[in-house]
Structure formats: C-alpha cells, structure tokens
Amino acid sequence: MPQTFAAADAVELAVVERSGFVESRHAGIAVVLAADGTIAEKLGDPSALILPRSSLKPLQALACLSAGVGLEGERLGLATASHSGTDRHVAVVRDILAAAQLGEDDLGCPAAWPTDTATRDEMVRELGQPARIRMNCSGKHATMLLTSVVNGWDPAGYLSPEHPVQLLIRDVVERLIGEKVSATAIDGCGAPVYAMTLFGLAKAIHRIGNSSTTSPFALHRSAGALVEAVRANPWTIDGPGRADTVAIERLGVFAKGGAEGVMVMVAPDGTTVALKMLDGSGRAATAVALKLLERHGALAPSDVADTMSRLPLAVTGGGQDVGAIRPAF
C-alpha cells in the first residue's frame, strides 16, 4: 500500500532554538518552481507521495467551478478555505448553503468548535455547542453540496468517493497534477483526499496561481478568479491573525496550508513552493515557504522579515522570548 515518504527522503527544513540551543528539528521535503514552471530547487525527494490534506482545497474548489458553480468574492474564498469559524465565516457558508436550498444539517463534516479563540470563548459563555458549520472545512462541504444541486445530483452521500461530485473532483485533480492519484483516503472532515507526489501538487498549485481571468481556457479563467478572490479577501481562507491570512495580507501571496505539515504558496511573480514536514507539524511550514520564496528572489527580505515577526514563531521562557522557530537554511 502506498505510504508517505521516509526519513531517508527528507532533509532538515527548520529548527526550534531555545537560548541558543537547538532543541528540536523538523525534516521534510520541498520543491520550488520558477515562474515558468521549471524546477528551481529541490529539498529532499519531491517525487515522494503525500496526502495534501487541506492544501488540496484549491483543486477541489476549482473542480466545483468547472461544473457550473458560480461563486465569486467571499463565497469563492470560503469554498477553498480552512476557516477559523468566526461569525463572519459562518454567514458566508450559510449563503452558499442557501443558494443550494439546503441547511446546516446537510453538511457532512463533523461538528467542531471554532478555532478562532475569541469566537470560541463567546460561544462557551453563551453555552453554545460545537456545530458542523463552525468546522473549518464547512465552506468546502457547502460548495460540494451546491455543485451537486446545480448538476441535478443527489446531495445525499456527496462524500462517497463514487458520488458524481467526488468523481468530478478526482478527474480535475488528476488533470492538474499531471498524474494518476496513487491512493484515496478519507480526510479529517470526511471528504476524500488523494495521494500524489509533492511535485504533482506543486505543478497544480503553480498552474492555479499563474492563471488569468482572461485566459482562453475556462478552467484557467476559473483558477484566476479563485486566486483573485482569495487575495482580495484574505480573511476568508483562514482567519484574523492566522498564518495564511497574515501571509496573504502582508505579501500578496496565494497560500494554503494543510494538516500534517503541508504548505503551498505562490508569490505574486508566479514562483511556487510546496512542502511537507515529515513529522506532521505545521508550526514552521509558513516560515519555510516564505524563506524559500525569498531565497529565489520572489519576495523582498525586509517584507518577509516583517511578516514572520507577525507569525507565532517565538519560543518563550518565563514569559519572555528566548528563541524562535526558524528555517534551517
């Protein structure tokens, strides 16, 4: 059975430094594609198989757009989001469900508390309960439901790998990554997720990130619209103060993190990074992606330094900063 890469395929990507002592190390694999799509750098073996987890969402959203779902702006941002469950996020997800004439009970994702601390605290004070619509993948699920309704497919069972919406998504994924998926697994939200090479994921994200709304090809026009929607509404894809949103707001990148230490990022000039941490920790993923883009001239060092100062990379001791999580190169 296919499985993720081994330690022999990985290199050190980040370290955790405390008072000048390297306390922990994060190994992984990464690939940088130049604006023209050629490989600019490989760290470890990017031909190794991974599960992209939520970094697959731009591909899933694009498949839904290709099936006639007319989402724009904030709704399109939520379609590809791992949102933090604020009331603002939830209102947009409800709009998508309303377009399908469906409700929260039709969502197949599990109930969850919002990951936004202030929203969660307010819900606890009001004796609220975890809800499906607060789950960070609810925008993706609402979009899958809307795709089913628009195409006359029964929305019941939309999470089955054999449901028409999932067969459509798999077909579009394979077209974008340029390879057959190696395995089908079930993501944390209950939707199918597909094993692919890190290089395949990088190619797909590069194609999406370099697409234009004026392209003669419909799929590329939709991809251009998706990227524009996220860059215009950074709050949709993650949440206030969270890594993807901060990177998009400060640098104009297209960024999408995934569980288990996956990250994809496209700079405004089209340079693209995809990476996966061997241990599954995502705490250094954004910083590593930013430094790789900086190293290849796609982002200014001062802008990267300013952005990284706004990410949760500090190592504390006694309430003081005594070190940092930092890239190992």
Side-chain angles (χ1 to χ4, degrees):
M1 177 176 292
Q3 57 186 354
T4 195
F5 61 98
D9 300 315
V11 299
E12 186 173 274
L13 294 180
V15 298
V16 181
E17 191 174 77
R18 178 182 296 275
S19 304
F21 181 86
V22 175
E23 183 175 23
S24 300
R25 302 178 188 273
H26 292 298
I29 57 176
V31 61
V32 183
L33 301 184
D36 64 2
T38 59
I39 296 177
E41 184 176 4
K42 295 188 291 186
L43 293 89
D45 182 9
S47 68
L49 293 174
I50 68 159
L51 291 174
R53 303 298 298 273
S54 282
S55 292
L56 187 66
K57 284 177 179 173
L59 285 69
Q60 293 166 314
L62 190 52
C64 293
L65 292 180
S66 75
V69 172
L71 296 178
E72 298 177 343
E74 295 177 348
R75 292 185 181 186
L76 187 48
L78 260 295
T80 193
S82 296
H83 65 80
S84 56
T86 68
D87 291 347
R88 191 179 182 190
H89 290 116
V90 166
V92 179
V93 177
R94 287 195 175 114
D95 284 344
I96 299 173
L97 288 170
Q101 296 185 323
L102 297 173
E104 296 178 35
D105 290 343
D106 295 296
L107 293 168
C109 53
W113 290 103
T115 52
D116 180 75
T117 302
T119 304
R120 183 174 64 249
D121 289 350
E122 180 64 22
M123 287 180 63
V124 169
R125 284 193 292 270
E126 295 182 355
L127 303 180
Q129 296 295 322
R132 293 180 180 185
I133 203 164
R134 297 282 179 178
M135 200 267 174
N136 71 345
C137 299
S138 65
K140 176 182 77 174
H141 283 252
T143 303
M144 290 176 177
L145 285 167
L146 179 58
T147 304
S148 298
V149 170
V150 165
N151 286 277
W153 303 328
D154 185 356
Y158 74 96
L159 293 179
S160 167
E162 301 307 316
H163 189 277
V165 73
Q166 302 302 339
L167 294 176
L168 165 73
I169 289 170
R170 178 172 177 146
D171 177 67
V172 172
V173 165
E174 290 183 334
R175 288 164 58 193
L176 288 168
I177 67 177
E179 60 191 45
K180 293 293 184 181
V181 300
S182 298
T184 300
I186 302 302
D187 212 336
C189 67
V193 62
Y194 303 109
M196 61 190 63
T197 66
L198 183 71
F199 179 55
L201 177 63
K203 285 194 297 183
I205 295 298
H206 179 272
R207 289 169 176 166
I208 293 171
N210 285 272
S211 291
S212 170
T213 54
T214 61
S215 170
F217 303 103
L219 192 65
H220 291 185
R221 290 196 299 273
S222 294
L226 185 151
V227 172
E228 284 188 3
V230 170
R231 284 178 168 150
N233 303 279
W235 66 273
T236 60
I237 201 166
D238 200 348
R242 296 176 65 84
D244 284 353
T245 293
V246 169
I248 297 166
E249 287 175 339
R250 306 300 301 182
L251 297 166
V253 298
F254 178 77
K256 187 70 200 75
E260 296 298 319
V262 182
M263 171 59 66
V264 295
M265 192 177 291
V266 186
D269 75 347
T271 305
T272 301
V273 171
L275 65 89
K276 157 73 176 165
M277 297 294 186
L278 179 63
D279 65 357
S281 172
R283 62 181 173 173
T286 302
V288 170
L290 291 175
K291 291 298 285 186
L292 284 172
L293 289 175
E294 176 192 320
R295 182 150 86 169
H296 288 272
L299 296 175
S302 59
D303 292 339
V304 170
D306 174 69
T307 301
M308 289 177 61
S309 72
R310 301 167 189 274
L311 299 176
L313 299 173
V315 172
T316 60
Q320 304 295 319
D321 291 352
V322 298
I325 302 165
R326 59 173 177 80
F329 47 84

